[in-house]
Amino acid sequence: MKIKLIQSGLILFLFTLILLMSSCQNEEKGIKSVFLEKELQDSSERVVLSELILSDSLQLMDLYGITSASTLKLDENHIYVNNPFEKHVYIIKKDSYDYVGKIAPGEGRGPGEVTGLGYFDVTNDYIILAAESQYKVQLWDKEGNLVNEFITDQIRPHRVTGWPDGKITILSTFPTDADRVFHTVDKGGEILQQFGNFDMDNFNPLMYSGSTVQDDNYFYYAGFSEHVLIKWDRDGNHLFSKATIDNFPGELNYITFLNGEERVFQYSETGVFSAVGTAINNEYWILIHAGERGSDTSTRLLDIYFKQDGSYAGSVLLPYRAGFGTIAVDESYIYTLHNIDDETHIGIYKNNLNELVEESGIAQID
């Protein structure tokens, strides 16, 4: 009897060990995803604190000859706006709004060339360009000289986020051998770390599209179709996943169908979407809220969260739709791209978010 008990205990131990190993392997494969498991907000009610007042509006075509724009970035002295048709990034002085110059890669597939210009980011030293379809990243200095470029192999650069020390974190919506969403590389393209698991059992590349930003110590992701805010430290350690104030079920934002032997993924026409742009300013994490397609408030709401824990602080309304889904913030102003009479403008608003949140009485939960 004693022998049978020992054998039974051994079998139970081995079975438990196998389960643990399987669980670890599943987590490594990305079956458990921080994109799906999230903590809810204490409240589900959006509070509109005020409407922002437009301080200035720069008409891009008349002032700079920019025929289209989709991304807007800042550094201490300049505003950066891309022109996807030209595949250039224009540089504008903050204080005078004067044109300074532009980053102008050649068109093509050779060294220094791109076939399309997607997202870009700006650091103290570099303008980082992502040519997503070419799996290419370029680094340019602010005098318009190409410093380096590299091919990212399996990593498709959907978003690029530059760090002050020259490292770059790339968001790729398609799995690599590592089955990770984020890949931090050095300025030569060498992979330093990878984090953020894919959900490989229910894989859909659309669910990982979103906006990314860093604030020297932390990395932030705000989902587009998944209503989630996720924060990591610089080493890729997950700190929290928190639902946005809407927390609309992400699965209702997708349509999946078979085309022959291939699965095709599309966004739903009747979905409710979250962040189309994001920025960090002081203690706040700011999102341009996409909302329902065609609604009066679509891309007119800025949702404000506390960056420490992702808790909701309130919302402000823009007078014009930030339809291009981009936002940049400094101590004095909030910048967006919007249309007035079918002409693209940089909208410039006084940054009084701290005053509005304090007046609302909404306090951060420690």
Side-chain angles (χ1 to χ4, degrees), residues 41-332:
Q41 294 285 336
D42 290 336
S43 170
S44 59
E45 182 179 353
R46 179 177 276 104
V47 179
V48 178
L49 306 177
S50 181
E51 180 170 336
L52 294 185
I53 305 300
L54 193 66
S55 297
D56 213 331
S57 189
L58 309 179
Q59 210 278 353
L60 294 181
M61 181 61 192
D62 289 349
L63 292 174
Y64 313 110
I66 300 175
T67 56
S68 68
S70 61
T71 306
L72 176 72
K73 293 289 179 179
L74 303 176
D75 65 12
E76 186 177 353
N77 298 310
H78 297 100
I79 303 168
Y80 299 81
V81 187
N82 69 340
N83 187 336
F85 288 166
E86 278 188 329
K87 306 172 185 65
H88 294 168
V89 174
Y90 284 68
I91 306 173
I92 301 164
K93 289 195 72 173
K94 264 188 186 179
D95 55 1
S96 63
Y97 305 141
D98 290 338
Y99 169 76
V100 175
K102 61 184 177 181
I103 307 301
E107 184 167 0
R109 299 185 178 276
E113 298 176 339
V114 296
T115 57
L117 177 60
Y119 195 78
F120 76 94
D121 197 18
V122 175
T123 68
N124 291 335
D125 299 314
Y126 302 114
I127 296 98
I128 306 166
L129 307 185
E132 184 174 358
S133 63
Q134 292 174 270
Y135 291 75
K136 180 185 280 191
V137 175
Q138 293 182 337
L139 280 75
W140 294 75
D141 67 23
K142 295 182 179 180
E143 284 69 52
N145 303 304
L146 179 64
V147 176
N148 189 37
E149 68 176 11
F150 53 86
I151 303 298
T152 55
D153 192 19
Q154 299 179 357
I155 302 170
R156 188 179 175 112
H158 180 62
R159 294 284 185 269
V160 287
T161 302
W163 297 86
D165 60 3
K167 295 175 183 175
I168 305 165
T169 298
I170 300 170
L171 161 61
S172 178
T173 59
F174 288 87
T176 64
D177 290 342
D179 286 343
R180 294 295 187 269
V181 181
F182 301 103
H183 313 264
T184 299
V185 302
D186 63 20
K187 58 186 178 183
E190 188 72 24
I191 295 176
L192 303 175
Q193 65 186 19
Q194 299 174 95
F195 59 97
N197 296 347
F198 282 101
D199 176 23
M200 295 309 297
D201 274 0
N202 304 288
F203 175 71
N204 181 340
L206 299 182
M207 71 174 288
Y208 300 101
S209 180
S211 301
T212 60
V213 67
Q214 58 80 26
D215 67 352
D216 296 351
N217 297 309
Y218 300 99
F219 181 76
Y220 305 81
Y221 166 90
F224 172 64
S225 51
E226 297 293 326
H227 289 240
V228 65
L229 305 172
I230 314 178
K231 181 178 178 180
W232 292 267
D233 67 17
R234 284 211 57 169
D235 296 322
N237 297 308
H238 175 242
L239 300 178
F240 66 74
S241 295
K242 194 132 186 179
T244 59
I245 195 67
D246 301 273
N247 196 29
F248 186 80
E251 60 270 18
L252 299 183
N253 285 328
Y254 314 114
I255 299 171
T256 304
F257 59 91
L258 291 176
N259 182 10
E261 296 183 354
E262 295 182 344
R263 279 193 301 166
V264 178
F265 304 95
Q266 291 182 356
Y267 289 121
S268 170
E269 291 290 334
T270 57
V272 177
F273 298 93
S274 190
V276 285
T278 191
I280 297 291
N281 178 241
N282 296 321
E283 63 183 310
Y284 302 120
W285 186 354
I286 306 156
L287 278 60
I288 295 181
H289 177 65
E292 299 178 51
R293 292 185 178 182
S295 71
D296 291 339
T297 57
S298 175
T299 66
R300 286 189 60 203
L301 281 168
L302 299 185
D303 289 337
I304 309 164
Y305 298 83
F306 291 105
K307 70 178 185 181
Q308 180 180 338
D309 60 5
S311 58
Y312 177 66
S315 301
V316 295
L317 192 64
L318 297 170
Y320 300 99
R321 293 181 60 181
F324 298 96
T326 191
I327 181 172
V329 185
D330 62 19
E331 294 302 310
S332 301

